[in-house]
Amino acid sequence: FNDTATTEIYTLSLHDALPICKVEFLDTSLRDGEQTPGVNFSIKEKIAIAKQLEKWGISAIEAGFPAASPDSFTAVQEIAKVLTKTAVTGLARSVKSDIDACYEALKDAKYPQVHVFIATSPIHREFKLNKTKEEILEAIKEHVSYARSKFEIVEFSPEDATRTELDFLLQVVQTAVDAGASYINIPDTVGFTTPAEYGAIFKYLIDHVKTDRKIIYSPHCHDDLGMAVANSLAAVKNGARRVEGTINGIGERAGNAALEEVAVALNIREDYYQVESPIVLNETINTSELVSRYSGIPIPKNKAVVGGNAFSHESGIHQDGVLKNPLTYEIITPELVGVKSNSLPLGKLSGRHAFVEKLHELGLDFTEEDIKPLFAKFKSLADKKHEITDADIRALVAGTAVENPEGFQFNDLRLTTNADETISAAVSLRNEEGEVLEFLANGQGSVEAIFNAIDKFFNQTVRLTSYNIDAVTDGIDAQARVLVSVENVDTDTIFNASGLDFDVLKASAIAYINANTLVQKENAGEMGRAVSYRDLPQA
């Protein structure tokens, strides 16, 4: 064609004729994400996250590894009871007792699934499993068949698939399909592969596995080389129809593919990937911030999609372009992912009705019983801030929903500067019965003195490994979110915790109290550790 306009019309008509396929999303924040050092979600936090993931549109949630510990079993069981639209799956090694544990934990799930795996790469076969190829194929046949006898939907994963010989990987997948698996996950367990290589693996398997059933293939990518999202998208481009990952990319080592980035990429570049997802994109910010708060891992300012700078423009040329037309430098609008303009500003004169309307506007979950304590916290904050932002409200609701729900709570804090320039901190805590106890300690600075006083109260051996301050919003009147990591010296367990307050020192005290409460629970045997399958004997 010589006529440009005619060419463009013809091209668009061809594009529009292409079929749009649906792609599912499986979130493993509560299983693989909890293997992040320091992340230990309580059961109440896991339920809150699971409900938000369902609201976000996640197709399936890998709720945990039921055989790992009683706490993991209970968490999967409780999540299975509350979800009504989203499938719930449990992880199992190729061990019948693991599969049985999944079956028992998921009895109440409306849509139960099981995820069975075994390692297949040469290095895993030799050094971890000490099994031959034939023995691994036999184990797959036996355990996938057993899982299929208990579950309608069985997912199978060859662990370390991207370092497995391609011809053997085909044998592995064919064996799993023949045994009854309907989902095949190809994990890049150590973040080793590249997009071109990974896409080629999916195309090869889809083209060569023989079956008369519908088989759905999925990527599960780790980010060791910074390519987890790119690899996941390459898998979709080559036929994968379910994507696995975590919110904010949390996970062991460098983490997993960030599902919010994958979801937005598929939306913005639907022209290229030709798929649509069930994700409710305007719930993305709520989902991301909830997981950040409960995991104790802050969202980097420059993170794609949900970072604080995602919609900021420093360059004068960029600012000028955005003012004239946002599409000059913004391919993602803030509204797409749930960052809304403050259409209903709140302040100290705002009433209960306006506050509740704001909760509805932001799509936050709450009950009638929640409103009274939430509104009280809002009024307290409004006395200190001229204007309450949406980010303030999200942080307030998340903090009230689950913040050290059991044990001692922060009550008050007083600081004194001594003649030798040291600081004295008097920290008071309140127990569940309302009794207040106060402890006094000195330090070279305010935070050190506060933490020393809290150490006196808990009287346990902990080591502070990380201390970070993050502002919920911009400006001098921003709420402070403090994130700490502490190590239980007796068990080498790392715990993350956070605290939120208008006063950064009070937020520091709250965070450190919450972290010590987690250590106290572990020492008392009340907390199941976030156990990885790698901590257990292998099949």
Side-chain angles (χ1 to χ4, degrees):
F1 294 93
N2 294 322
D3 183 73
T4 304
T6 305
T7 305
E8 289 176 351
I9 293 170
Y10 179 69
T11 304
L12 285 172
S13 66
L14 284 178
H15 164 70
D16 292 341
L18 294 172
I20 300 293
C21 302
K22 294 187 181 297
V23 62
E24 302 176 14
F25 274 65
L26 180 145
D27 181 90
T28 184
S29 300
L30 302 179
R31 199 279 300 169
D32 205 333
E34 200 185 26
Q35 290 176 206
T36 309
V39 174
N40 292 271
F41 297 122
S42 69
I43 291 177
K44 188 173 181 181
E45 288 170 335
K46 288 182 178 181
I47 291 171
I49 291 171
K51 290 168 72 174
Q52 178 59 33
L53 290 171
E54 183 170 61
K55 191 174 183 180
W56 194 49
I58 284 291
S59 311
I61 292 174
E62 189 169 67
F65 180 27
S69 69
D71 186 73
S72 296
F73 180 94
T74 302
V76 175
Q77 188 176 53
E78 293 303 312
I79 290 168
K81 292 177 182 177
V82 300
L83 299 188
T84 59
K85 296 182 293 183
T86 302
V88 183
T89 187
L91 183 70
R93 296 166 298 171
S94 290
V95 178
K96 288 185 177 179
S97 59
D98 278 21
I99 298 167
D100 290 339
C102 288
Y103 177 74
E104 293 299 323
L106 292 167
K107 276 185 175 180
D108 294 322
K110 189 170 183 179
Y111 304 107
Q113 299 182 7
V114 66
H115 181 184
V116 180
F117 74 94
I118 192 170
T120 57
S121 66
I123 192 168
H124 280 249
R125 294 197 306 263
E126 179 180 354
F127 293 101
K128 187 175 76 170
L129 298 182
N130 192 27
K131 288 183 181 293
T132 64
K133 290 181 178 179
E134 291 71 24
E135 289 173 321
I136 286 174
L137 292 173
E138 186 57 40
I140 294 168
K141 180 180 179 180
E142 177 185 1
H143 293 98
V144 171
S145 298
Y146 183 71
R148 182 64 184 84
S149 72
K150 291 179 172 289
F151 289 88
E152 182 178 351
I153 302 296
V154 177
E155 176 178 7
F156 172 75
S157 290
E159 186 185 8
D160 205 19
T162 56
R163 293 193 296 175
T164 299
E165 308 94 319
L166 195 56
D167 59 342
F168 181 55
L169 185 62
L170 176 60
Q171 285 184 276
V172 163
V173 173
Q174 186 68 64
T175 301
V177 168
D178 292 343
S182 50
Y183 284 85
I184 298 295
N185 176 244
I186 304 299
D188 185 25
T189 305
V190 294
F192 173 75
T193 196
T194 67
E197 292 173 329
Y198 201 48
I201 291 173
F202 278 85
K203 187 176 188 310
Y204 178 81
L205 293 174
I206 292 170
D207 288 348
H208 289 85
V209 170
K210 296 177 173 60
T211 179
D212 57 1
R213 296 182 292 113
K214 180 181 179 181
I215 305 299
I216 295 178
Y217 292 81
S218 66
H220 176 116
C221 298
H222 283 262
D223 206 33
D224 299 73
L225 296 178
M227 292 188 280
V229 169
N231 286 335
S232 299
L233 292 169
V236 172
K237 185 65 176 174
N238 284 274
R241 290 298 174 258
R242 176 149 92 173
V243 179
E244 303 192 6
T246 61
I247 303 302
N248 300 335
I250 63 172
E252 55 189 333
R253 302 189 316 277
N256 290 258
L259 286 184
E260 68 280 0
E261 296 180 22
V262 176
V264 171
L266 293 178
N267 175 271
I268 298 297
R269 293 306 312 272
E270 185 182 293
D271 62 316
Y272 179 75
Y273 292 105
Q274 290 294 298
V275 298
E276 61 181 25
S277 82
I279 299 301
V280 182
L281 290 177
N282 62 12
E283 282 293 329
T284 301
I285 287 295
N286 286 341
T287 308
S288 173
E289 291 192 352
L290 187 72
V291 171
S292 173
R293 179 164 182 82
Y294 293 165
S295 66
I297 299 176
I299 301 169
K301 290 288 186 182
N302 65 333
K303 186 183 182 302
V305 175
V306 293
N309 294 344
F311 309 106
S312 299
H313 301 277
E314 183 70 21
S315 164
I317 295 174
H318 285 211
Q319 291 172 351
D320 179 67
V322 168
L323 288 172
K324 292 174 179 174
N325 185 336
L327 295 180
T328 54
Y329 288 102
E330 281 185 358
I331 61 168
I332 308 167
T333 64
E335 292 78 13
L336 179 69
V337 295
V339 178
K340 301 174 183 177
S341 60
N342 216 350
S343 57
L344 184 62
L346 298 179
K348 64 188 298 182
L349 299 180
S350 299
R352 186 176 185 274
H353 178 71
F355 175 70
V356 173
E357 283 299 309
K358 173 58 73 174
L359 297 181
H360 284 299
E361 179 188 325
L362 295 177
L364 299 171
D365 283 329
F366 63 94
T367 65
E368 284 298 317
E369 293 74 26
D370 296 330
I371 294 175
K372 185 175 180 179
L374 283 173
F375 186 61
K377 281 184 173 271
F378 160 72
K379 294 299 282 187
S380 176
L381 180 62
D383 284 336
K384 303 168 185 174
K385 291 199 68 174
H386 174 67
E387 186 175 294
I388 308 297
T389 68
D390 290 353
D392 287 319
I393 297 297
R394 288 193 188 94
L396 184 149
V397 172
T400 304
V402 183
E403 176 142 346
N404 191 10
E406 300 171 354
F408 282 84
Q409 307 283 321
F410 171 79
N411 182 64
D412 199 6
L413 166 66
R414 298 191 316 277
L415 297 173
T416 305
T417 301
N418 302 316
D420 60 358
E421 296 186 352
T422 60
I423 303 294
S424 293
V427 181
S428 61
L429 298 90
R430 184 178 60 256
N431 65 16
E432 293 170 296
E433 289 74 40
E435 180 186 6
V436 175
L437 297 174
E438 184 174 277
F439 288 80
L440 181 69
N442 293 340
Q444 295 300 312
S446 300
V447 173
E448 183 183 19
I450 291 167
F451 286 9
N452 287 342
I454 294 169
D455 285 338
K456 277 189 177 182
F457 170 77
F458 282 96
N459 192 28
Q460 54 194 12
T461 310
V462 300
R463 183 174 66 87
L464 181 69
T465 61
S466 177
Y467 172 83
N468 292 287
I469 302 172
D470 184 32
V472 172
T473 56
D474 295 325
I476 195 170
D477 63 349
Q479 289 190 87
R481 179 190 286 121
V482 173
L483 302 114
V484 300
S485 295
V486 302
E487 179 183 9
N488 183 348
V489 176
D490 295 332
T491 63
D492 297 327
T493 309
I494 301 291
F495 292 100
N496 292 345
S498 62
L500 180 75
D501 196 88
F502 184 77
D503 185 323
V504 67
L505 294 178
K506 289 183 178 179
S508 299
I510 293 167
Y512 198 59
I513 290 168
N514 291 345
N516 272 273
T517 300
L518 295 173
V519 174
Q520 185 182 59
K521 288 181 178 180
E522 185 189 38
N523 290 338
E526 298 174 9
M527 170 173 284
R529 285 184 60 192
V531 180
S532 165
Y533 59 82
R534 295 183 183 89
D535 296 332
L536 301 175
Q538 293 299 307

